[in-house]
Amino acid sequence: MANYSKQILQNIADSKFNNQNLINKALANDSENELIDLTESLISQGFIDDAKSILENLNEKDNKNDQINLDLAEIYLDEGNDDQALDYLDKIEQKSSLYLSAQIDKADLYESEGLTESAEGVLLDLQNISSDPIVRFALAEFYDAEGENGKSAQLYDYLINQGHELINKINLHARLAMALASNGEFEESITEFQKVGLKNLSSKEISSLAQAYFQSGDREKSQQLIEENIDHQEASLDDYLNLASIYEKQGNSKEQLRTLQLAKSFDPFNLLARFKLALLQSDFGDYTASNKELHFIIKKDPSQTNAISLLAYNFLQEKEYDQTISLINRHIEDDEIDQHYLWYLGLAYFNSDQQKQAEKSFERVDEYFSEEPSFLKDAFFVFKTTNIERAQNYLKKYLQIVPEDFEMESYLL
């Protein structure tokens, strides 16, 4: 008897993709197991619609076949049809050999919908009925996705101690190393990465190892790994940001600037990269370039208080006092503000001959910046002509922190 499923796969191998007639013949003549095998081959080769059509046809004849239900559920999950997927998953009962897979898929579904407690609950319940390592592995992956890396690290460590170093061809030492690095346990992370071997690490894992070396103080090894990723065009945004930090520590501002520009090119919409670039440009005195970055950031996210503060600072350096006042007053009533707002606002008022407003702004952050020498110095000059006693108190506090400033010492009465 002809096996139409095999003919379909042979046609695909021969780049013949219009197989609807053969599919109809396969449905009419091939066995259910042959058709299920066919759909799995079709799915693996990306012919999802054909596989789905065959599975739905099979399901109409046999809606209790767990493999069919699971395959359909996973197709619907990929399509974002969660309700339909859940219906198929719920058909797979606990006695089935596919129950674990179905429940893990259900947990993924809940997590994708933001129902994290439900997703965790499904996986925790599975632990009570199965000792299969795939359950703890799925739970560890869930905790990784939720940023609870301490919990995922414990689970990976448990599985390794139970003798499971690979699950689904995934190296658990590498997963443990990533979780430890994300949890701030950098020395331990390096040890686990070394067990895997550098040649066996993915570019993402190399980035994590570079981060661990950087945080552990070994900037040379960190830089070497990052540059290797960059050379292979596999660098992540974190690679560029970490490399920029390394250049900053080295005092190499030129390379720091170039690397931050590369980070911006890598991900133009990453606000952290653009802020770091704006901050360095401001340090260089390139306020035009810095302001351009800051305007972009604030437009994208008006809650970026650090960007608003830096833009106000830049305006002050450019003696654009009206722009400083306008900017700060637009944001002073926001839910969250940076205390620098009032400091910079006070300076702008002071330089605009609005003395009372300047003093009021400084008084509002007097306690907050009581140990900040730059603020104390600015406050001295703001109050110097209107409140000598207060100005002298600011000056004395300033000189306690910066005793070697003999120019300021000359103002002492």
Side-chain angles (χ1 to χ4, degrees):
M1 181 180 292
N3 186 311
Y4 295 102
S5 294
K6 288 184 178 179
Q7 290 182 39
I8 292 167
L9 294 177
Q10 185 59 53
N11 273 2
I12 291 173
D14 295 337
S15 300
K16 298 176 183 177
F17 303 123
N18 186 7
N19 293 299
Q20 190 56 55
N21 287 336
L22 281 176
I23 288 174
N24 292 337
K25 290 180 179 179
L27 286 169
N29 296 281
D30 291 353
S31 70
E32 184 176 78
N33 286 338
E34 287 172 336
L35 289 167
I36 291 173
D37 289 343
L38 170 62
T39 60
E40 290 178 354
S41 294
L42 291 173
I43 290 169
S44 68
Q45 295 182 67
F47 296 93
I48 308 300
D49 289 341
D50 287 340
K52 179 182 174 183
S53 173
I54 295 169
L55 288 167
E56 287 177 335
N57 190 288
L58 289 173
N59 187 254
E60 290 177 4
K61 301 174 183 176
D62 180 9
N63 62 9
K64 293 184 178 180
N65 185 302
D66 290 334
Q67 187 64 62
I68 295 172
N69 287 326
L70 182 62
D71 289 344
L72 277 172
E74 291 179 345
I75 288 173
Y76 283 119
L77 278 173
D78 288 339
E79 292 178 346
N81 191 339
D82 292 349
D83 290 340
Q84 190 73 42
L86 193 58
D87 286 343
Y88 283 110
L89 292 174
D90 284 339
K91 292 179 180 180
I92 302 173
E93 299 178 355
Q94 186 171 333
K95 63 184 179 181
S96 170
S97 61
L98 296 177
Y99 181 73
L100 289 183
S101 297
Q103 291 301 296
I104 290 171
D105 282 346
K106 184 183 289 188
D108 288 341
L109 185 156
Y110 287 146
E111 187 179 4
S112 70
E113 292 183 335
L115 303 172
T116 54
E117 290 185 6
S118 297
E120 183 183 20
V122 168
L123 294 172
L124 290 173
D125 286 344
L126 280 183
Q127 283 192 126
N128 296 328
I129 63 172
S130 175
S131 59
D132 193 313
I134 196 68
V135 176
R136 281 187 170 83
F137 178 71
L139 186 58
E141 287 195 312
F142 166 80
Y143 286 134
D144 273 341
E146 294 302 308
E148 296 187 60
N149 305 106
K151 290 182 178 179
S152 64
Q154 288 179 348
L155 287 165
Y156 291 132
D157 189 52
Y158 172 84
L159 288 168
I160 291 169
N161 289 332
Q162 293 295 309
H164 307 289
E165 297 198 347
L166 288 173
I167 291 181
N168 291 342
K169 298 182 181 180
I170 294 172
N171 190 302
L172 296 191
H173 287 288
R175 283 295 179 89
L176 175 57
M178 295 279 285
L180 289 168
S182 297
N183 202 44
E185 299 174 67
F186 300 110
E187 297 288 350
E188 296 84 350
S189 173
I190 291 169
T191 299
E192 291 300 319
F193 275 126
Q194 289 171 340
K195 292 177 183 178
V196 182
L198 187 60
K199 67 179 181 180
N200 299 317
L201 298 180
S202 67
S203 59
K204 183 177 180 181
E205 290 161 351
I206 289 173
S207 294
S208 183
L209 177 56
Q211 169 80 346
Y213 276 128
F214 176 74
Q215 294 295 338
S216 300
D218 194 337
R219 293 197 291 271
E220 185 176 341
K221 285 185 178 178
S222 179
Q223 183 173 351
Q224 182 181 351
L225 290 171
I226 292 171
E227 289 176 344
E228 181 180 322
N229 261 356
I230 292 174
D231 288 343
H232 290 91
Q233 297 184 332
E234 295 178 335
S236 67
L237 178 64
D238 283 341
D239 283 333
Y240 288 111
L241 295 179
N242 286 336
L243 185 58
S245 295
I246 290 171
Y247 285 132
E248 181 181 12
K249 296 286 186 183
Q250 294 172 349
N252 191 340
S253 299
K254 182 179 178 180
E255 284 301 312
Q256 182 189 359
L257 178 63
R258 185 184 70 84
T259 305
L260 287 173
Q261 288 168 334
L262 288 172
K264 173 187 168 181
S265 298
F266 182 86
D267 185 353
F269 298 102
N270 185 275
L271 302 187
L272 176 60
R274 296 188 79 134
F275 177 75
K276 286 179 177 289
L277 176 59
L279 184 60
L280 184 59
Q281 290 166 333
S282 177
D283 289 343
F284 284 158
D286 188 354
Y287 301 117
T288 300
S290 179
N291 291 351
K292 184 178 179 181
E293 297 298 333
L294 295 169
H295 282 301
F296 177 91
I297 293 169
I298 295 166
K299 184 178 179 180
K300 287 292 181 183
D301 183 1
S303 70
Q304 293 282 327
T305 58
N306 55 357
I308 295 166
S309 288
L310 182 57
L311 183 57
Y313 171 84
N314 288 352
F315 283 153
L316 284 173
Q317 304 312 304
E318 296 176 291
K319 297 182 170 40
E320 298 286 353
Y321 304 122
D322 288 344
Q323 288 199 59
T324 306
I325 292 168
S326 175
L327 173 68
I328 296 298
N329 281 330
R330 284 201 305 273
H331 293 280
I332 201 78
E333 301 300 331
D334 291 349
D335 292 337
E336 293 185 15
I337 67 167
D338 184 335
Q339 296 300 316
H340 288 84
Y341 287 11
L342 293 162
W343 177 359
Y344 297 155
L345 183 60
L347 285 176
Y349 280 135
F350 177 68
N351 286 285
S352 302
D353 297 323
Q354 300 180 62
Q355 183 67 26
K356 288 185 179 179
Q357 292 284 63
E359 291 180 4
K360 189 180 297 183
S361 294
F362 269 77
E363 287 168 355
R364 288 176 65 182
V365 286
D366 177 282
E367 186 175 347
Y368 187 87
F369 291 114
S370 62
E371 301 297 325
E372 173 55 55
S374 296
F375 174 83
L376 296 171
K377 185 175 181 178
D378 287 341
F380 165 74
F381 286 109
V382 168
F383 287 93
K384 184 167 72 77
T385 59
T386 59
N387 191 330
I388 296 175
E389 182 179 355
R390 185 165 195 162
Q392 287 291 305
N393 286 335
Y394 284 126
L395 180 58
K396 289 173 184 177
K397 286 183 181 179
Y398 170 78
L399 290 171
Q400 286 175 0
I401 301 171
V402 193
E404 69 278 7
D405 191 338
F406 301 115
E407 182 181 349
M408 290 300 295
E409 189 178 24
S410 67
Y411 287 104
L412 275 175
L413 296 179

